[in-house]
Amino acid sequence: MLSIQELRALGASLSVGAFRRQLGPFVLIQRPPGRPVSAVLAATRVASASDIEKGMLSLLFEFEDLLITTLPPLTRVEELSVGRLPDCDLMIDDASVSKRHAVLNWSEPQGRCSVRDVGSTNGTFLNGATIGTREATLKDGDILSFGNVQFWYLMTDTLHARLQGPPSGKTSFRGT
């Protein structure tokens, strides 16, 4: 994971195209994780609506303290697994996340990403609302939650523009 402070220098030194080549077409931004689960195979715990709401608010108001989750390089069409197991493309070490929780589908030709829950215990949420079993298309600035763990979905170009502004720990920003 990279911090916003680390990316600020990178963003200032690279064009938006070079920045996109370094990070990929989109990024997932999260709060620094709390205490990690001691064992990846621990029992899944129930997600809490208040925890999801607090997590969403902190993403919007604590930009300078957030972390960029690194993803594997993406090809033209790519499916990324999300879950608690170490072999997932996006491994989330939190007991509210199922071992195999969801999949993210990136389509370069369409320039879009979608998410689908794969039968998780605690569900996948888009901007605080459960997506159930449907596939949901993500929009720049959406908040994506797997159990109690929230990510801010931003297109890399949007992040690059945001990093060009002055640092401030109390600003909010939704995608353009």
Side-chain angles (χ1 to χ4, degrees):
M1 284 193 223
L2 301 168
S3 71
I4 292 295
Q5 292 85 3
E6 291 168 323
L7 277 184
R8 194 171 290 285
L10 181 65
S13 68
L14 295 176
S15 69
V16 68
F19 190 72
R20 188 181 326 108
R21 284 189 295 279
Q22 288 288 318
L23 295 178
F26 68 90
V27 294
L28 295 174
I29 303 173
Q30 72 177 115
R31 288 184 340 268
R35 293 183 309 190
V37 177
S38 59
V40 171
L41 300 179
T44 303
R45 69 175 168 79
V46 176
S48 153
S50 66
D51 286 347
I52 291 171
E53 183 178 307
K54 288 176 193 172
M56 288 175 62
L57 289 173
S58 73
L59 285 176
L60 297 175
F61 292 103
E62 298 174 6
F63 183 73
E64 293 301 316
D65 299 322
L66 301 177
L67 297 174
I68 306 296
T69 301
T70 54
L71 298 168
L74 299 175
T75 58
R76 289 181 48 81
V77 177
E78 188 79 38
E79 182 174 282
L80 301 171
S81 60
V82 178
R84 216 170 56 230
L85 292 176
D87 66 338
C88 288
D89 297 304
L90 175 56
M91 194 278 239
I92 305 171
D93 190 12
D94 186 273
S96 71
V97 176
S98 293
K99 294 173 191 171
R100 299 262 182 228
H101 197 100
V103 292
L104 294 169
N105 291 295
W106 170 251
S107 172
E108 181 71 36
Q110 296 175 356
R112 71 176 183 101
C113 187
S114 61
V115 63
R116 180 176 40 87
D117 191 279
V118 293
S120 69
T121 300
N122 285 309
T124 301
F125 301 84
L126 184 56
N127 299 320
T130 184
I131 64 168
T133 58
R134 70 181 173 88
E135 186 164 357
T137 300
L138 300 175
K139 295 182 187 113
D140 197 22
D142 278 346
I143 303 293
L144 184 59
S145 302
F146 304 103
N148 280 336
V149 181
Q150 292 77 39
F151 293 89
W152 194 8
Y153 173 84
L154 282 182
M155 300 305 291
T156 306
D157 295 9
T158 301
L159 175 61
H160 186 267
R162 176 68 176 101
L163 292 173
Q164 303 310 306
S168 172
K170 300 297 177 198
T171 60
S172 68
F173 181 78
R174 291 269 303 175
T176 56

